[in-house]
Structures are given as C-alpha cells and as structure tokens.
Amino acid sequence: MRATTIHGTRDIRLAEVPDPTISAPTDAIVRVVAGCICGSDLWPYRGENDITPGDTIGHECVGVVEEVGAEVRDVRPGDFVIVPFDHCDNTCPHCLAGAQSACVNLGFTTSGQAEYARVTQADGSLVKTEGMPDAGLVPSLLTLSDVMPTGWHAAVSAGVREGGTAVVVGDGAVGLCGVLAASVLGAETIVAMSRHEPRQELARRFGATHVVAERGKEGTAAVMELTGGVGADAVLECVGTDDAIKTAFSIARPGSTVGFVGVPHGVELPVRRMFQRNVGLAGGMAPTRRYLPELLDHVLAGRIEPGLVFDSTLPLDDVAEGYRAMDERRAIKVLLEP
C-alpha cells in the first residue's frame, strides 16, 4: 500500500509498504477514507523525537472495515468506523475506570496517513456510524479519532464548569477543540491565547469570548486583567512545552486545575507554586474511546462542527507539502485523502 513514512528531520515520503494484516483474532483492517496530520507528528518531523527511518507515521483516521479477526463481533466488513488513535479493549479495569488510554491491551494506529490501518482491539476501539456518512460530515468525524477528544479531555480534566472562566493555552487544532469543549461544557468566559489571526477567528467561532495575543509575562498580565486579578477557574494546556506549562500555572487561580494534554517536551513543573496556591494538574493522553459516544452524538446532532479545524485538504500524494504547511504554520490542520 501507499503510506507516509519518515526518514529523518523534515524528511517525509510517500512509499510503498506491505499492507497491514490480521495478526491477532481481535484485529481489524480499515481502509482509510480520510486521515490527517497531527501537531504531535511535528515533533519527530522536526527531529525532537527519535525515529526509525522508514517507519510509517500517522495516527488519525476514519474509514471502512475491510477484514476482521476471528474474535471480532461488533464490527463487520463494510462498516464505516472512527478509529481512536489509542486502541483499547474497553473491558479491562483501567478502561472500566475511564482510563482507556492506559488499557492493559493498549495499541496505537501507526499508518493513519496511508491506504490501510490495523486496529489491534477492534471491538473495544472502533465506533461505527449508521451507514456511510455524508461527505460533509467526514472532517468532523475524523477529529473524533484524536483532536476533539483530546481537547475535550483537557476541558474535563481542568474541571471546566458552567458559568466559569476557562483559558486555553495553545491555538493548534487541539487547543481550538479545547475552546469548543469549554463552550459546550458551559464556561461563560473563554480566553484563547493565540497570536495568529485565522486561529483567533476560528477560536471565536468555537466560542471564545476573548483572545490574548501576548505571551510570557505580558500574556499572564492580560489574562489576569481579564479575570479581575483572580485568574482562571480552569486552564487547558494544549502545547506541551515548558513555556506553555509555566503560563498555564501563572494564570490558574488558587484551588483550580490545569488540564494538560500537550505531549510534554522539556517540561519542569512549578511544584512549589502548585503547592503554595493549591493548583492541581490532571490530564495526559486522552482516553479517546471514553468520550467518543458523547462527541459523536454532538457531531451528528449538529451541535458542534470540529471539522472546521481542517483548513487544508490534500491528496495523500502531497503529504510532504502538508507537513511543510503545518510546520510553517500556513495550515492549522491538514486533511489527507488517500
């Protein structure tokens, strides 16, 4: 099959690789209808994560089931499915506690930017739609494989509440989905920290009441002014850098929680500040399957349209350009069509 492969820093190629096959009775093979590039894919692309040259890359996709293992009962060939980036059996003690991203049989999508993907726990992971969805719904359904549940996880972990104040640090697709989540959960004041006009506009469309373009101490001062010197009731950290974490804790009011979903890179927690101000930290890798049914209902009912985060659609053949566009911040998020 054709699949996106990574070979070194900023070296993305479309290559022919072996088709994935059923290797366990709980597996399924999905023909990818739409995949996309994630902000977290930019870490290895920029040389910040170790790679094995030639590995496939891409963990977000939706598609049609092509083949299932002998023990798969809940999905069949021909079903259109949303593929969570983190696979789970949805029956282990951790899954039953709502921590599907720590499933004892955890697996991951490894060829979402390709023609086919293998799902290691098909019954526990895959969520099917009623028949084939309209083409216009596909972008929003695709966000349910990762970025929308991840933004939602940040909001839930931060304790966003009706009538409260939420601040979102990060204006990538996850941060924008965090703004949308905070809006759905009823926050009255939603501050998006963003310096990029197209992202600011989308944040407002998703429910942001204020935008702060400043960073560092100036950004903190702007948020504190907006909140009357109190700080945020909930902070969503959607970047993963040390600067983002420092900002998140500098604007969190005493007794609040920072919900973090940005993959950490070089982060040092301000433990003394956390202790002195009783500010908690919660979140981590999103338990995608936990949130999928509720988010799918929101999408199908037209209450949310997270697919608006895709501001570029490219054929799979142009995947290298998609990476360049996101790396250079010319695109928020790129949808790929095999």
Side-chain angles (χ1 to χ4, degrees):
M1 68 173 180
R2 295 179 308 141
T4 303
T5 54
I6 185 166
H7 298 264
T9 301
R10 291 183 169 82
D11 188 356
I12 288 288
R13 307 175 195 174
L14 190 65
E16 286 289 337
V17 304
D19 291 357
T21 58
I22 300 290
S23 60
T26 53
D27 288 352
I29 305 299
V30 174
R31 176 175 57 82
V32 176
V33 169
C36 56
I37 302 170
C38 182
S40 63
D41 294 329
L42 297 180
W43 291 110
Y45 180 72
R46 292 167 175 163
E48 300 288 341
N49 290 0
D50 292 334
I51 65 157
T52 300
D55 275 354
T56 57
I57 188 171
H59 55 267
E60 299 170 277
C61 65
V62 295
V64 176
V65 176
E66 288 284 302
E67 184 182 359
V68 298
E71 294 180 10
V72 176
R73 298 287 181 266
D74 295 338
V75 295
R76 288 285 179 268
D79 287 342
F80 186 93
V81 292
I82 300 159
V83 182
F85 79 94
D86 44 356
H87 310 163
C88 65
D89 58 30
N90 215 24
T91 59
C92 82
H94 305 320
C95 288
L96 294 177
Q100 286 91 335
S101 53
C103 177
V104 298
N105 290 306
L106 185 64
F108 295 96
T109 305
T110 58
S111 61
Q113 298 163 17
E115 293 180 305
Y116 296 96
R118 181 170 72 99
V119 182
T120 60
Q121 295 289 327
D123 276 346
S125 302
L126 296 175
V127 174
K128 60 186 177 182
T129 61
E130 292 294 329
M132 290 294 293
D134 292 338
L137 272 179
V138 169
S140 287
L141 296 177
L142 178 56
T143 67
L144 303 187
S145 67
D146 182 356
V147 288
M148 188 63 219
T150 296
W152 192 267
H153 187 49
V156 170
S157 299
V160 172
R161 59 176 175 80
E162 191 167 351
T165 298
V167 179
V168 180
V169 181
D171 64 356
V174 169
L176 291 167
C177 287
V179 169
L180 184 56
S183 178
V184 174
L185 292 171
E188 182 175 336
T189 301
I190 302 171
V191 182
M193 301 193 74
S194 171
R195 296 188 297 183
H196 302 269
E197 187 173 338
R199 298 167 190 239
Q200 294 173 352
E201 291 176 2
L202 187 53
R204 290 189 177 95
R205 186 167 179 177
F206 277 174
T209 57
H210 301 80
V211 170
V212 168
E214 296 85 356
R215 298 227 178 149
K217 293 180 180 179
E218 292 77 13
T220 296
V223 171
M224 296 305 289
E225 182 178 356
L226 281 172
T227 59
V230 174
D233 299 320
V235 182
L236 288 64
E237 191 283 303
C238 302
V239 182
T241 63
D242 193 53
D243 285 344
I245 283 287
K246 281 185 170 60
T247 296
F249 279 101
S250 72
I251 60 179
R253 69 177 299 174
S256 66
T257 300
V258 172
F260 80 112
V261 294
V263 181
H265 283 75
V267 169
E268 293 185 11
L269 292 177
V271 176
R272 183 167 295 277
R273 182 180 181 86
M274 295 166 67
F275 178 81
Q276 292 174 338
R277 296 176 67 83
N278 281 275
V279 176
L281 180 69
M285 186 165 64
T288 309
R289 184 60 178 80
R290 169 183 168 188
Y291 302 124
L292 256 176
E294 181 179 5
L295 294 176
L296 178 58
D297 182 62
H298 283 315
V299 167
L300 295 179
R303 289 186 288 269
I304 61 174
E305 191 179 355
L308 293 172
V309 297
F310 293 109
D311 56 347
S312 177
T313 298
L314 295 174
L316 186 59
D317 288 340
D318 293 339
V319 63
E321 168 56 23
Y323 271 83
R324 285 191 293 270
M326 287 184 61
D327 182 39
E328 297 165 7
R329 297 184 75 84
R330 290 184 283 113
I332 299 172
K333 192 167 181 68
V334 176
L335 187 149
L336 299 168
E337 296 179 334

